[in-house]
Amino acid sequence: MKDQIIFMFSGQGSQFFQMGKELYEQESIFKENLDQLDATFQRATGNSVIKYIYDEHRLKSDEFSDLFYTQPAIFMIEVALANLLIKKGIRPHAVIGSSLGEYAAGVVANVFHQEDVLNSLIDQVLFIKKFSQPGGMIAILASPSLYEEVPLLHHHSYLAAINNESHFVIASNLEGVKKIEQYLRTKEITFLRLPVTFPFHSSYIDVAGKAIQNRLSELHYQTPTIPFYSSVTGYRKENMNATYFWEVLREPIRFTSALTEVVDHDGAILIDLGPSGTLANLAKAQFKQQNDLSIFSILSPYADNVKALESVYSKLSIHDVGKSSKQKIQGVHGGRS
């Protein structure tokens, strides 16, 4: 897969207020698609994701954890950013998502339609809030072996993801989260409570499973038109259905396994379309000994998002992404549509 372009889509925990605002103000294609998706959200709920996340009184550092907005917002931002790149001529040769990010990846791979998925996500959020017990997810900076070695961890939580040899994520109910955080503080183990208010990727959300799968069964699924790599199986996935996209929320995340499958040793261009660049960081850690990869993130609460987008345009204008694509990329090198 030499110099193939891979789009990566992150899931819950990567969101923050004002995410993508610079692009919203300066990139008309991004704004138009985000507005279109927000109109769908407004018709379904009477509320606006855009007004909520771009409220001038909200700081990037404020906690953004209301599931009613977080899941739709992440999905909308990622799909709008992907559509921007595609319309500029930067087309992925493969897609890979982590958790909720698989829904955005599915849209880009033409598995289903963006408005249909957004409407489904809106209902799924309501089912989770109605049926599942609250909880949380914790990223722990330690060897994943700690999970099996410490009874408190494996008795009171589920292993939601293993990101590398010193980074894993657990999910638990509120009581479990409280006990685990107390233990980690006592042992001086670095951890981060993710801005997620329900214990996804665990049996704690199983009670909502039937309702969510019934809602997902209303979608029309197609075979991906570009390779789709699954963080549920860790491999390429070709047949999609309601059960699979429930498993995306329920089963452990195998993003790094899937990323190993999609990236070979002849090089690749990885572009993180998530809000915070978390998957780009995971990819850099995973392939730190590999020099033939280019890894980009565009959105971040700490960097100039427009300049980051320009760096992607600049890099890909050098690579053979097709003559027509190359002309389009060079034509918008200033970062505006």
Side-chain angles (χ1 to χ4, degrees):
M1 298 181 67
K2 185 171 179 61
D3 291 335
Q4 291 210 348
I5 298 170
I6 301 162
F7 282 7
M8 305 186 296
F9 302 89
S10 61
Q12 294 178 97
S14 61
Q15 74 275 2
F16 60 93
F17 284 115
Q18 313 301 333
M19 58 184 181
K21 188 175 183 180
E22 296 96 330
L23 299 187
Y24 186 75
E25 294 174 339
Q26 300 187 46
E27 291 282 353
S28 62
I29 295 173
F30 180 82
K31 181 181 186 302
E32 288 168 6
N33 197 222
L34 201 59
D35 284 345
Q36 180 183 352
L37 288 166
D38 194 54
T40 298
F41 186 86
Q42 289 187 53
R43 284 192 294 271
T45 69
N47 296 279
S48 168
V49 169
I50 291 174
K51 289 182 179 179
Y52 185 75
I53 65 174
Y54 294 156
D55 185 331
E56 62 181 10
H57 300 294
R58 300 184 187 277
L59 303 176
K60 293 180 180 180
S61 58
D62 289 347
E63 182 176 312
F64 179 16
S65 61
D66 186 346
L67 195 66
F68 179 77
Y69 288 104
T70 57
Q71 282 204 359
I74 294 168
F75 172 81
M76 290 165 56
I77 290 287
E78 292 181 339
V79 168
L81 184 52
N83 285 334
L84 168 63
L85 294 183
I86 290 169
K87 288 184 178 180
K88 296 300 186 183
I90 303 173
R91 298 182 176 275
H93 297 92
V95 295
I96 179 174
S98 174
S99 189
L100 178 67
E102 294 205 46
Y103 285 76
V107 168
V108 174
N110 296 306
V111 173
F112 35 35
H113 192 267
Q114 61 183 31
E115 273 80 15
D116 293 340
V117 178
L118 179 55
N119 278 316
S120 179
L121 282 174
I122 292 167
D123 290 338
Q124 289 174 224
V125 166
L126 297 178
F127 295 143
I128 287 288
K129 296 182 78 169
K130 179 178 180 180
F131 296 119
S132 298
Q133 55 180 306
M137 302 181 72
I138 303 173
I140 301 174
L141 300 184
S143 170
S145 63
L146 187 72
Y147 180 78
E148 292 299 336
E149 293 168 359
V150 178
L152 177 67
L153 292 181
H154 59 252
H155 287 163
H156 293 278
S157 70
Y158 285 80
L159 185 60
I162 296 178
N163 292 324
N164 55 48
E165 68 276 4
S166 59
H167 184 186
F168 66 100
V169 180
I170 59 95
S172 185
N173 59 16
L174 291 176
E175 180 183 1
V177 166
K178 183 178 180 180
K179 290 179 178 179
I180 290 167
E181 286 186 333
Q182 183 178 5
Y183 170 83
L184 295 172
R185 290 191 188 96
T186 300
K187 297 297 182 181
E188 298 184 341
I189 297 172
T190 302
F191 69 93
L192 175 66
R193 174 84 170 267
L194 301 180
V196 181
T197 54
F198 287 86
F200 289 89
H201 307 288
S202 76
S203 69
Y204 293 113
I205 66 167
D206 283 351
V207 68
K210 184 177 180 180
I212 289 176
Q213 289 185 74
N214 286 342
R215 181 62 179 87
L216 284 167
S217 68
E218 298 175 13
L219 301 182
H220 175 65
Y221 299 88
Q222 300 183 94
T223 301
T225 56
I226 59 175
F228 179 106
Y229 285 80
S230 164
S231 289
V232 175
T233 67
Y235 299 99
R236 182 173 174 176
K237 180 77 174 175
E238 295 185 353
N239 298 313
M240 309 289 185
N241 55 32
T243 299
Y244 176 75
F245 280 98
W246 158 247
E247 292 173 346
V248 163
L249 303 176
R250 167 62 178 85
E251 298 302 318
I253 303 168
R254 302 185 64 190
F255 172 77
T256 52
S257 297
L259 192 59
T260 300
E261 286 292 310
V262 72
V263 175
D264 72 5
H265 295 290
D266 291 327
I269 300 167
L270 308 180
I271 306 177
D272 185 346
L273 303 185
S276 298
T278 53
L279 299 186
N281 290 333
L282 290 181
K284 289 174 183 177
Q286 183 169 348
F287 299 115
K288 58 187 175 183
Q289 303 300 326
Q290 197 167 326
N291 299 319
D292 57 349
L293 298 180
S294 296
I295 304 173
F296 296 94
S297 60
I298 297 173
L299 302 182
S300 167
Y302 309 111
D304 186 322
N305 299 167
V306 174
K307 285 186 177 179
L309 181 61
E310 289 175 357
S311 71
V312 174
Y313 291 157
S314 178
K315 175 68 176 182
L316 295 185
S317 69
I318 298 171
H319 286 76
D320 182 16
V321 296
K323 292 183 179 180
S324 62
S325 300
K326 191 172 181 178
Q327 291 171 353
K328 290 179 183 178
I329 295 167
Q330 290 174 334
V332 295
H333 188 66
R336 296 178 184 270
S337 301

